[in-house]
Amino acid sequence: MSRRPFVAGNWKMHKTAPEAAAFVRAFAGKVPEGVDVAVCPPFTALAAAVEAARRTEVAVYAQNMHQAEKGAFTGEVSAGMLLDAGVDGVLIGHSERRQFFGETDEGVNEKALRAHAAGLRVILAVGETAEEREAALTEIVLERQVRAGLDGLSAKQVAATTIAYEPVWAIGTGLTATPEIAQAAHAFIRGLVEGAHGVAERVRIQYGGSVKPDNAAELFARPDIDGGLIGGASLDPADLAAIASAAAG
Ligand code: PEP
């Protein structure tokens, strides 16, 4: 089965609402055929991005959400609030959330369950640190994160989940994984999804970690790499469009 590639830009803590709207207007005109695209603005710019993305091919995802439906969780945002803002989906389990905000596999799983139940699309991010790779723990870490993250989802929900393989050592460092390293991890993750849920051929697995316009094509040419989750290079509409073109083939 051929999977439609998917390129998403994670803006992290960048861009005001007017900047987000201007980006989406500039980017929408450059989106090639044959690839799904999304941007992940910060919460305060979601509504402006959604408005600018109306009647375009650009989907808008949040960078995080809380797993509870509502309650006394100061500073947090629920799945229902994201839907209310008009967003299409949510990024869950990014390594910066795991590293700097104490997110656990269990919490990531609760978020995935809640997001799917609410009807949001989900990108689930997983990946090993440099220390884990050096200690030959990559597959153990990926297995734990993927199994836990998808636990309790129906086969249909798993198939509709995008998994982003993001080696932590490659994020924001300029140290892109080689296509061989990335392909091996993607094939391993696809095998896990097949074993646990039987939908490996349908699930899209993005690569993330210092993807740029000049290295995207060789990564996306690998059979199990279905596009990318892009940080730094997603802040410029021309760069993100060039990366989306590389994914479209
Ligand atoms: C990310 O944060 O998801 C990411 C892949 O960042 P960068 O492309 O900057 O490495």
Side-chain angles (χ1 to χ4, degrees), residues 204-243:
R204 293 190 286 194
I205 309 178
Q206 297 172 322
Y207 168 76
S210 299
V211 178
K212 309 286 175 209
D214 62 1
N215 63 18
E218 58 175 355
L219 287 158
F220 299 162
R222 299 295 158 140
D224 288 297
I225 303 183
D226 306 315
L229 180 58
I230 319 300
S234 75
L235 295 173
D236 180 284
D239 283 353
L240 190 59
I243 292 168

Side-chain angles (χ1 to χ4, degrees), residues 11-24 39-53 60-63 85 87:
W11 291 349
K12 313 191 184 192
M13 201 165 71
H14 295 283
K15 296 195 190 293
T16 62
E19 288 167 350
F23 179 106
V24 172
V39 292
C40 310
F43 288 131
T44 50
L46 284 173
V50 165
E51 183 56 33
V60 178
Y61 280 49
Q63 297 173 17
V87 313

Side-chain angles (χ1 to χ4, degrees), residues 65-78 81 110 114:
M65 57 167 253
H66 195 274
Q67 56 269 45
E69 195 182 343
K70 57 181 159 181
F73 301 105
T74 302
E76 292 291 332
V77 169
S78 71
M81 291 167 185
E110 286 167 9
R114 177 71 68 185

Side-chain angles (χ1 to χ4, degrees), residues 86-190:
V87 313
D88 302 289
V90 61
L91 169 60
I92 287 173
H94 190 278
S95 65
E96 286 155 15
R97 302 286 326 162
R98 296 179 191 258
Q99 260 185 308
F100 305 136
F101 301 96
E103 294 210 6
T104 62
D105 288 327
E106 293 67 32
V108 168
N109 177 239
E110 286 167 9
K111 291 181 184 202
L113 289 165
R114 177 71 68 185
H116 275 294
L120 289 165
R121 295 184 224 152
V122 173
I123 300 174
L124 169 68
V126 299
E128 82 287 358
T129 63
E131 295 71 32
E132 288 162 344
R133 177 161 283 272
E134 276 154 25
L137 294 173
T138 298
E139 293 193 348
I140 289 170
V141 170
L142 292 180
E143 177 158 6
R144 194 195 71 229
Q145 292 181 342
V146 170
R147 279 194 193 285
L150 300 176
D151 190 38
L153 293 178
S154 68
K156 196 169 162 209
Q157 288 170 330
V158 172
T161 302
T162 298
I163 297 173
Y165 168 62
E166 298 206 304
V168 179
W169 46 272
I171 294 180
T173 59
L175 292 174
T176 319
T178 62
E180 292 71 28
I181 288 178
Q183 165 59 27
H186 281 234
F188 177 71
I189 292 169
R190 202 174 295 290

